[in-house]
Amino acid sequence: MLEVYFPVLVFILFAAAFGLIPIVAGWVLGPSKPDAEKLSPFECGFEPFEDARIKFDVRYYLLAILFILFDLEIAFLFPWATILREIAASESIRLFGFFEMIVFLGILLLGYVYVWKKGALDWE
């Protein structure tokens, strides 16, 4: 019974080796010359001038939320696209499937226009 799982074990070992060999090779073969600047917490070229806990403008968060929202809504198109051939072949649900997606895209377009008119996509 366990011989059925042997290909899975080989795949896991191959994947682990494929990921670990470059990491180990870089660690062993790569130059390691630490100095005070490389070991400092900030290596961006200048000293930090503010506290790390500064408040960000709310537009960053709003834009991120809008991206996630529209990205997730677009993800709902994939299941519909995978069964589009079956929808088109069936006479009884052809128009229903088409208008269902038109309504979905219309709601998505209305949301996009609303966000656009509110100025959430304008960057000043």
Side-chain angles (χ1 to χ4, degrees):
M1 170 108 178
L2 290 178
E3 63 268 2
V4 177
Y5 294 107
F6 183 72
V8 175
L9 177 66
V10 170
F11 180 74
I12 290 172
L13 291 175
F14 181 73
F18 189 75
L20 289 176
I21 288 175
I23 293 172
V24 171
W27 182 64
V28 170
L29 301 174
S32 177
K33 298 175 185 172
D35 58 6
E37 279 197 46
K38 284 187 179 180
L39 296 176
S40 67
F42 295 95
E43 198 178 8
C44 58
F46 57 88
E47 291 295 320
F49 53 87
E50 287 188 30
D51 187 21
R53 295 176 195 91
I54 60 172
K55 291 185 178 183
F56 285 98
D57 192 2
V58 73
R59 289 178 291 183
Y60 292 114
Y61 300 113
L62 182 62
L63 198 63
I65 289 171
L66 287 174
F67 171 75
I68 291 170
L69 179 72
F70 284 110
D71 189 45
L72 288 176
E73 287 182 354
I74 292 299
F76 285 120
L77 291 175
F78 289 111
W80 183 78
T82 57
I83 62 167
L84 182 61
R85 191 167 286 148
E86 288 87 12
I87 290 174
S90 174
E91 190 69 37
S92 62
I93 63 169
R94 181 182 299 168
L95 286 177
F96 175 74
F98 176 72
F99 285 119
E100 181 181 11
M101 191 48 64
I102 292 297
V103 168
F104 175 75
L105 290 175
I107 292 171
L108 188 64
L109 183 65
L110 282 174
Y112 181 72
V113 169
Y114 174 77
V115 166
W116 191 1
K117 292 293 183 186
K118 284 291 188 179
L121 301 177
D122 294 335
W123 201 259
E124 297 174 3

